[in-house]
Amino acid sequence: MVKIRTPDPAAAFQDGAFAELAYLHAPVGLVVTENRVIRDCNFAFADMFGYTREELQNQLFAKLYPSDSEFSNIRNRGVDQLRETNSYWDERIMARRDGTLFWCRVRGHSFTPDDPLAQAVWSFADLSQTRPYIPLTRREREIVALLADGKTSKEIALTLDISHRTVEVYRAKLLKKFGVSNTSGLLNCLAGVYQEHIVGRS
């Protein structure tokens, strides 16, 4: 394990050695990974998940997901985009140490674009204040995605091979769950990110 050393801010300002200071105290979570293993992170990242930096060093990233299956579902997401543009972002559900789930905005940059996950740096922003976590079933997510595409209940029923009445029941439950009165309000609750960038629970 790498020994944790916290630079003295006064000395950093005197010497102009700002890089480590900025990394450790950035107001957004930063994490350096190697083949999906957390090699190091800053204070904001560790605090976000309820750990110390030492507890996260050299741990599999799967530790921070709601389940191993969800980690498996998402782990290769963005690899092609990183390979092509070396830039990737999405919004996904993560798990704190105490088991509570929350939305994060994740951005990535690879140091090894030919093998994007070999060595990379990521930023994590906690979206809890603007997007509280509300659990959705797989079917609810499918219906929300189709509503966002502008499909009617009848079209959704045909797409999912379920009855029109079943779609209406799901739609009513979604409105109630999000405390809104219409589809526009529902989509506004989930706004702020294009659907292809939302990584929901499996």
Side-chain angles (χ1 to χ4, degrees), residues 61-115:
F61 225 100
K63 182 183 185 85
L64 305 178
Y65 282 81
S67 67
D68 288 340
S69 64
E70 292 184 55
F71 174 66
S72 297
N73 180 52
I74 199 174
R75 63 184 175 184
N76 290 322
R77 190 176 173 93
V79 168
D80 290 341
Q81 190 174 340
L82 280 169
R83 190 175 286 122
E84 293 171 12
T85 68
N86 205 8
S87 178
Y88 176 74
W89 74 276
D90 67 39
E91 294 186 356
R92 61 182 68 173
I93 295 165
M94 304 295 291
R96 302 190 204 278
R97 183 178 199 158
D98 65 5
T100 58
L101 304 182
F102 67 108
W103 281 98
C104 268
R105 178 173 293 124
V106 180
R107 298 180 187 276
H109 171 84
S110 176
F111 300 109
T112 53
D114 290 339
D115 185 8

Side-chain angles (χ1 to χ4, degrees), residues 167-184:
V167 174
E168 288 298 314
V169 169
Y170 272 108
R171 197 168 180 162
K173 286 181 178 178
L174 283 164
L175 297 181
K176 184 176 181 180
K177 183 176 284 191
F178 284 87
V180 293
S181 59
N182 53 44
T183 301
S184 177

Side-chain angles (χ1 to χ4, degrees), residues 36-51:
R36 302 185 183 95
V37 173
I38 299 168
R39 298 309 304 273
D40 194 18
C41 63
N42 68 354
F43 295 123
F45 183 86
D47 289 344
M48 187 184 307
F49 289 93
Y51 295 92

Side-chain angles (χ1 to χ4, degrees), residues 132-147:
Y133 171 70
I134 298 176
L136 295 179
T137 65
R138 178 183 59 83
R139 183 66 85 194
E140 286 173 334
R141 287 197 310 277
E142 289 172 342
I143 290 173
V144 165
L146 292 169
L147 286 171

